């Protein structure tokens, strides 16, 4: 693909800081047609160089005056305190650049597994992905998992081998690792050119042109490759041409090529662009964010080979009543349809929504419908409202640049949009629609929190609602049995970010140990006598009852049987005894956990014509159950989950050995292909509290697991002592 100069605008856009959140309006109007837009996710393992690549592209195109620094916390993408503290991306960020008249919205996504929710939001907003791989480091299982994530959603991909300026960078070795991990459709478009052992340019395999970066931050100079360079690149050029022809729709090309015909470069370039656009071919471009090598070539490839929003499939939509609706075309003149892919809370502007537009044109003062349905299991209740767009921006990291409009295919930012949350649909007020939510992973690390004082509880509730509105990977639960407030997170790093965001809003909180919701049952029959007799002047309280308690099979619930004779307890008070027993069952009889799976038989009792009452017999029933528990043997029951673990074959032994230490019962293994194995087991929930962290450590970050409640089972004596409350 022949290289083109990347024109650098003279003016640099303002950077986002804590003091300045809105940048001046750009001198260039936003694009008017989807064909002028590319939405590209930057994907790669943490530390692969995504953020600095974005910085270099911004600087090369004049969007910023100079590159920021990760260590100094001055990059455009990473402005959150958590990102600066952890020195890695923790949230999705949009950084637009201009390349040959095309607006490229780069969506910088986190590479750490804890933030896969942000990655999926970025892939939802993107139409293609640049998969960034370090030229220094090996490709680990976590990187392979990220590639599989991109493959799952079907986005076209190109590979960027970054950090070529590093002393240990090895392009050939990195390319070999990529081909081994991602397949033989991963082929380079350019080869590095060295000057005095340093990579100073790229040789285009199809054009035969060399771009040289002889001075840092200067535009490349171009020349024709010399004979030595052409000869050294001949094998790679042949492999690239054969790879392109294999993807071509012209079935005669391969035969012509094998017969020795020189295939015209324009035909090869057109076939290459088509193959990349449909996702069947993955070109490789080498870059250095430090020296600028490869940036011009990368931008040209993105602008020419990646699909525009008009060429990409749009998500399914429905009407508010759930009936299917026609998917609108990506047309600026079509009906309005957009989706909130990220929500943040700015201390000055309030709620800021990042919106990907799929159809229509959004302008200031537009009336829109905001709808969020289908995320109740995540703690997001269904909601609908009509809102007015008061401010419209083009995002540049944390900076917001006012724009007059935003068309189908573009990404914009809106403020003060009422109750809008991540995942909500923005549509026309007169014909509201719902976009099918994207699939989110289950958060599997529970973190129990509580307000530091009673006065902080209201502040915690309000702030937690704001944080949860912008984080679809977070699930908030108030456990009905333990009454704990649980934040279900993706991992420790995710939990640290969530807690940090709460504390930034002035919330004083503390984390506490997660209590597993155990239950109690009777291990053997027992009898109980409840006598509640009090006399203190006036009407007294008199109630006596005798019960027998028997254990039932697991999952049977509760049975109450009346075997009194002769009316020793009047009929209305029999119901009172049952109420008292049920109330005591909820409170527990031994360790404070609910009692389940028992049959209580009322055998007899006494009543007083004046002093007996409903309250007295409820108290007697509760007392009888407690006395039966004291005389009998109580068994604690713990929840057990069915767990499915997906790991690479090399980690199966370690994972199965670890499961045996968790009192797990292995129920089966299945090979799922691609060197992956699924392990099925039944594991007590107490052993899964930190499994999201421990599985990642066992499998170098590549292991995944899912869980579902199965049943409650008796707790072994040793585990029961550890699990009971203080």
């Amino acid at each position: 693909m022949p290289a083109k100069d990347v024109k650098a605008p003279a003016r640099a856009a303002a950077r986002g800081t804590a003091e300045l959140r809105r940048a001046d309006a750009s001198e260039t109007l936003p694009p008017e047609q989807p064909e002028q837009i590319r939405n590209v996710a930057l994907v790669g393992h943490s530390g692969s160089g995504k953020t600095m690549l974005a910085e270099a592209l911004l600087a090369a195109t004049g969007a910023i005056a100079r590159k920021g620094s990760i260590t100094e916390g001055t990059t455009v993408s990473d402005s959150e305190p958590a990102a600066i503290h952890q020195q890695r991306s923790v949230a999705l960020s949009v950084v637009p650049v201009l390349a040959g008249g095309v607006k490229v919205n780069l969506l910088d996504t986190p590479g750490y597994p804890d933030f896969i929710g942000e990655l999926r939001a970025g892939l939802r907003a993107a139409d293609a992905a640049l998969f960034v791989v370090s030229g220094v480091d090996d490709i680990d299982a976590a990187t392979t998992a990220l590639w599989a994530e991109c493959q799952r959603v079907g986005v076209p991909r190109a590979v960027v081998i970054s950090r070529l300026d590093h002393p240990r960078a090895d392009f050939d070795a990195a390319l070999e690792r990529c081909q081994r991990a991602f397949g033989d459709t991963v082929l380079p478009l350019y080869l590095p050119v060295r000057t005095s052992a340093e990579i100073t340019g790229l040789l285009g395999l199809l054009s035969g042109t060399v771009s040289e970066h002889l001075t840092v931050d200067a535009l490349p100079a171009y020349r024709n490759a010399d004979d030595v360079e052409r000869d050294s690149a001949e094998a790679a050029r042949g492999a690239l041409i054969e790879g392109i022809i294999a993807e071509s729709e012209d079935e005669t090309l391969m035969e012509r090529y094998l017969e020795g015909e020189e295939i015209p470069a324009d035909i090869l370039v057109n076939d290459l662009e088509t193959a990349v656009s449909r996702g069947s071919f993955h070109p490789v471009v080498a870059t250095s964010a430090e020296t600028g090598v490869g940036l011009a070539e990368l931008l040209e490839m993105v602008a020419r080979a990646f699909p525009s929003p008009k060429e990409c499939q749009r998500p399914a939509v429905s009407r508010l009543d759930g009936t299917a609706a026609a998917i609108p075309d990506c047309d600026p003149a079509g009906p309005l349809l957009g989706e909130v892919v990220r929500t943040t809370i700015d201390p000055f502007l309030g709620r800021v929504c990042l919106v990907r537009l799929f159809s229509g044109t959004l302008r200031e003062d537009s009336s829109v419908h905001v709808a969020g349905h289908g995320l109740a299991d995540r703690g997001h209740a269904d909601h609908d409202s009509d809102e007015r767009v008061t401010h419209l921006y083009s995002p540049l990291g944390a900076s917001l640049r006012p724009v007059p409009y935003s068309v189908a295919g573009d990404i914009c930012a809106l403020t003060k949009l009422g109750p809008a949350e991540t995942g909500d649909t923005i549509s026309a007020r007169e014909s509201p629609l719902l976009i099918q939510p994207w699939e989110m992973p289950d958060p599997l690390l529970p973190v129990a929190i509580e307000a530091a004082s009673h006065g902080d509880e209201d502040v915690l509730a309000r702030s937690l609602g704001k944080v949860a509105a912008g984080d679809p990977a977070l699930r908030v639960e108030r456990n009905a049995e333990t009454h704990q407030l649980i934040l279900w997170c993706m991992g420790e790093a995710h939990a640290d970010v969530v807690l940090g965001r709460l504390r930034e809003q002035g919330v004083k909180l503390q984390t506490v140990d997660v209590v597993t919701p155990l239950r109690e049952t009777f291990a053997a029959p027992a009898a109980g006598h409840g006598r509640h007799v009090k006399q203190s002047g006036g009407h007294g309280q008199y109630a006596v009852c005798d019960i027998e308690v028997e254990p039932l099979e697991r999952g049977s619930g509760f049975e109450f049987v009346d075997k009194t004779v002769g009316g020793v307890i009047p009929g209305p008070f029999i119901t009172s005894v049952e109420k008292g027993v049920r109330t005591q069952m909820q409170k527990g009889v031994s360790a404070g956990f609910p009692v389940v799976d028992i049959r209580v038989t009322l055998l007899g009792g006494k009543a007083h014509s004046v002093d007996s009452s409903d309250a007295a017999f409820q108290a007697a029933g509760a007392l009888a159950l407690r006395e039966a528990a004291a005389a009998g043997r109580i068994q604690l029951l713990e929840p057990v989950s069915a767990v499915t673990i997906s790991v690479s074959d090399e980690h199966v032994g370690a994972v199965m050995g670890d499961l045996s230490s968790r009192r797990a019962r292995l129920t089966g293994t299945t090979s799922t292909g691609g060197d992956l194995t699924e392990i099925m087991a039944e594991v007590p929930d107490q052993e899964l509290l930190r499994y999201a962290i421990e599985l990642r450590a066992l499998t170098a970050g590549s292991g995944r697991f899912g869980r579902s409640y199965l049943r409650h089972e008796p707790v072994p004596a040793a585990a029961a002592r550890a699990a009971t409350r203080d």
Side-chain angles (χ1 to χ4, degrees):
M1 188 177 293
K4 296 180 180 178
D5 290 350
V6 179
K7 305 281 185 183
R11 181 182 166 282
R15 297 279 305 282
T17 65
E19 294 77 22
L20 179 61
R21 294 287 173 174
R22 291 191 299 177
D24 294 335
S26 172
E27 293 176 357
T28 305
L29 288 174
E32 297 181 353
Q33 296 298 327
E35 291 86 352
Q36 300 170 294
I37 301 168
R38 303 291 184 271
N39 296 310
V40 182
L42 290 174
V43 181
H45 190 41
S46 183
S48 62
K50 302 184 301 297
T51 297
M52 288 312 300
L53 176 61
E55 287 289 308
L57 291 171
L58 285 167
T61 56
I64 58 176
R66 62 185 180 88
K67 292 176 289 189
S69 166
I70 292 176
T71 55
E72 296 175 5
T74 56
T75 62
V76 171
S77 295
D78 297 338
S79 59
E80 276 200 56
I84 296 171
H85 173 70
Q86 296 185 17
Q87 295 203 352
R88 62 185 171 203
S89 298
V90 301
L92 174 67
S93 181
V94 178
V95 286
V97 299
L98 290 176
V102 174
K103 180 186 180 184
V104 180
N105 290 315
L106 295 172
L107 295 111
D108 189 8
T109 66
Y112 197 66
D114 276 19
F115 307 108
I116 190 173
E118 299 285 338
L119 168 64
R120 291 192 177 180
L123 292 177
R124 177 64 162 233
D127 302 312
L130 288 174
F131 200 89
V132 183
V133 176
S134 170
V136 180
D137 304 318
D138 289 336
I139 293 179
D140 57 12
T143 303
T144 307
L146 284 172
W147 181 269
E149 184 73 23
C150 295
Q151 197 169 34
R152 185 185 66 83
V153 298
V155 295
R157 279 148 285 155
V159 177
V160 179
I161 296 180
S162 64
R163 303 177 66 190
L164 286 185
D165 54 281
H166 195 280
R168 292 191 294 107
D170 188 333
F171 174 80
D172 294 332
L175 175 62
E176 183 180 346
R177 291 192 293 265
C178 289
Q179 291 172 335
R180 189 166 54 248
F182 310 143
D184 55 10
T185 58
V186 174
L187 291 169
L189 299 182
Y190 306 89
L191 292 183
V193 173
R194 297 178 181 274
T195 303
S196 301
E198 293 185 1
I199 296 175
T200 57
L202 297 180
L203 166 61
L205 293 177
L206 295 182
S207 67
T209 302
V210 174
S211 61
E212 291 185 313
H213 287 258
L214 302 177
T215 305
V216 176
D217 293 333
L219 292 175
Y222 295 95
R223 63 174 176 82
N224 291 327
D226 59 34
D227 292 340
V228 174
E229 291 167 337
R230 281 196 296 270
D231 290 343
S232 64
E234 191 60 34
R237 183 176 188 274
L240 174 62
I241 291 174
E242 290 179 11
I244 294 172
I245 292 175
E247 299 294 332
S248 175
E249 297 178 357
D250 186 347
E251 299 179 356
T252 68
L253 275 187
M254 182 61 75
E255 182 179 351
R256 291 160 53 190
Y257 176 72
L258 294 176
E259 290 176 352
E261 180 180 338
E262 184 71 23
I263 307 300
D266 58 340
I267 293 177
L268 293 174
V269 169
N270 287 337
D271 284 345
L272 168 66
E273 293 173 355
T274 300
V276 173
S277 180
R278 70 182 179 217
S280 59
F281 186 85
H282 311 295
V284 179
V285 180
T287 65
S288 168
E290 186 68 25
T291 66
V293 169
L295 299 183
E297 290 80 2
L298 179 61
L299 283 174
E300 186 205 3
M301 188 276 298
V302 167
R304 291 186 56 176
F306 276 168
S308 73
K310 205 170 184 67
E311 301 171 75
C312 296
Q313 185 176 0
R314 291 164 294 285
V317 296
S318 65
R319 300 180 182 87
L320 297 186
D321 60 5
T323 58
I327 301 175
D329 292 333
C330 186
D331 183 357
L336 181 66
L337 181 65
E339 185 173 31
V340 179
V341 294
R342 185 161 192 259
T343 307
T344 56
I345 305 298
D346 186 276
F348 305 104
L349 301 177
R351 187 171 296 194
V352 180
C353 295
L354 200 64
V355 177
R356 162 67 196 263
L357 287 175
F358 293 102
S359 176
T361 298
L362 196 58
R363 302 180 187 275
E364 287 189 357
D365 294 326
S366 302
S367 293
V368 300
H369 184 82
V370 179
H373 291 207
L375 293 175
D377 59 333
R378 299 276 177 173
H380 302 276
D382 291 354
H383 55 273
D384 291 273
S385 65
D386 291 327
E387 304 290 337
R388 181 172 292 278
V389 176
T390 56
H391 298 94
L392 183 63
Y393 303 98
S394 173
L396 175 64
S399 299
L400 299 176
R401 302 171 297 177
V403 291
Y405 60 85
S406 185
V407 300
D410 208 352
I411 296 174
C412 62
L414 305 176
T415 58
K416 299 179 174 61
L417 201 60
E421 301 179 350
T422 301
D424 281 5
T425 302
I426 310 295
S427 58
R429 187 174 180 178
E430 59 275 9
S431 56
L433 296 171
L434 278 172
I435 294 178
Q436 180 179 325
W438 68 83
E439 183 181 345
M440 290 297 297
D442 287 327
L444 296 169
L445 177 68
V447 179
I449 64 170
E450 58 185 30
S453 66
H454 182 71
D456 294 313
E457 290 180 355
D458 289 342
V459 180
L460 173 59
R462 289 195 301 270
S463 299
L464 191 55
K466 294 177 182 178
V467 171
D471 191 345
L474 173 67
R475 180 160 59 87
V476 182
E477 174 194 7
R478 174 72 73 174
N479 190 283
E481 296 184 26
T482 66
H483 307 294
Q484 285 189 306
L485 181 60
I486 305 292
L487 305 181
W488 287 91
C489 304
M490 298 301 300
E492 275 189 312
H494 184 210
D496 288 345
V497 169
V498 171
L499 295 175
R501 288 171 179 166
L502 289 171
R503 290 179 174 126
E504 286 168 22
Q505 296 183 42
V507 179
K508 296 179 181 178
L509 57 85
Q510 58 194 17
T511 59
V512 295
D513 291 338
V514 177
V515 177
T516 302
L518 304 181
R519 294 175 185 171
E520 304 173 5
T521 193
F522 281 68
H529 176 72
R531 176 182 173 84
H532 183 75
V533 178
K534 291 185 179 181
Q535 187 67 46
S536 57
H539 284 297
Q541 300 181 46
Y542 189 95
V544 179
C545 65
D546 293 292
I547 64 172
E548 182 181 63
V549 184
E550 304 169 79
L552 297 177
E553 291 184 3
R554 298 289 169 262
S556 298
F558 170 64
E559 294 181 14
F560 185 83
V561 180
D562 174 25
K563 286 191 176 180
T564 58
V565 294
V568 292
I569 299 178
F573 294 151
I574 292 174
T575 302
S576 301
V577 173
E578 181 180 354
K579 287 181 182 178
V581 169
R582 286 183 179 273
T583 300
Q584 190 62 51
M585 287 175 63
Q586 288 300 312
K587 295 178 180 178
V589 293
S590 174
F593 297 103
V595 179
V596 297
D597 301 336
I598 60 172
R599 177 188 295 118
V600 173
T601 303
L602 180 60
L603 301 175
K606 295 181 181 178
H608 189 278
S609 58
V610 175
D611 293 341
S612 290
S613 65
D614 171 67
F617 271 98
Q618 285 193 45
L623 180 59
L625 186 64
R626 292 199 299 270
E627 289 201 1
R633 185 161 57 91
I634 300 301
Q635 172 71 64
L636 283 179
L637 303 175
E638 64 180 344
V640 175
S641 289
V643 176
T644 301
I645 309 164
S646 177
V647 297
S648 59
D649 293 343
E650 62 180 309
H651 295 122
V652 169
V655 170
M656 292 180 69
D658 177 73
L659 285 173
S660 66
S661 70
R662 298 178 184 276
R663 300 186 285 123
R665 285 192 296 273
L666 186 68
T667 57
T669 59
T670 303
S671 176
T672 57
D675 297 328
L676 291 177
T677 296
E678 277 194 354
I679 302 172
M680 284 74 74
E682 297 176 358
V683 189
D685 283 11
Q686 182 67 30
E687 303 291 341
L688 294 173
L689 293 179
R690 294 182 59 81
Y691 195 58
I693 301 168
E694 290 151 354
L695 177 64
R696 186 173 298 160
L698 280 172
T699 62
S702 62
R704 301 286 186 270
F705 80 103
R707 59 185 287 186
S708 59
Y709 170 75
L710 196 59
R711 58 181 174 270
H712 272 69
E713 291 184 353
V715 183
R721 288 192 294 271
T724 52
R725 297 173 178 172
D726 294 335

